Amino acid sequence: MKIVCVEPLGIPQTRFEELKSHYASMGHEFTYYMDRREDEPTLSDRMGNAEVVVISNIKLTANVLSKCTKLRYLSVAFTGLDHIDLDYCKAHNIQVQNAAGYSTTAVSELAVGMMLDLLRNIVTLNEKIRQGGSRGTFLGRELRGKTVGIVGTGAIGTATARLLLAFGAKVIAWSRTERTEVKALGVEYVPL
């Protein structure tokens, strides 16, 4: 089987070499690339003879996929799949699997952290203080009591809502599917 990882995915080359040896010992060919290229000709070239492709959030159109006549499995090292032409994959019997759940906590914590930075100017004031300045009269604002809108209440949106509620924020949300368990948290669904 020919397996291709079309981008580095933050994996060190030494680990890729270990994987290459591992797959070779099982009779498979493993190819990896240490640069991220998103242009269709390069993707078509890299994926052209692969049966299995590993990719993150690089857009894969029907045009690229049509040049991958041996492709049977697409491993997406990313939570979403909206960058993959799933209709094409389904019509051509290409199984697609993502990495749902791998970054739920990290993304929700980062989103709340960025909100706190926005309200408190943490990064800006940190630089000012490090350069000998002061905060002046800036006091910042609190997340408590603010209304925060979330678009999408899947795993990440729900985790973010939980954190925001713990901070004392009011959370409103829009999602294609309104979830009872999210409403039970105290989240109010509103039109987009």
Side-chain angles (χ1 to χ4, degrees), residues 146-168:
K146 300 290 185 285
T147 300
V148 181
I150 295 177
V151 177
T153 54
I156 292 171
T158 301
T160 304
R162 288 180 196 279
L163 290 174
L164 291 166
L165 291 166
F167 272 95

Side-chain angles (χ1 to χ4, degrees), residues 6-19:
V6 299
E7 59 178 307
L9 301 173
I11 298 172
Q13 188 166 2
T14 53
R15 178 64 179 136
F16 273 129
E17 285 297 319
E18 290 170 3
L19 289 169

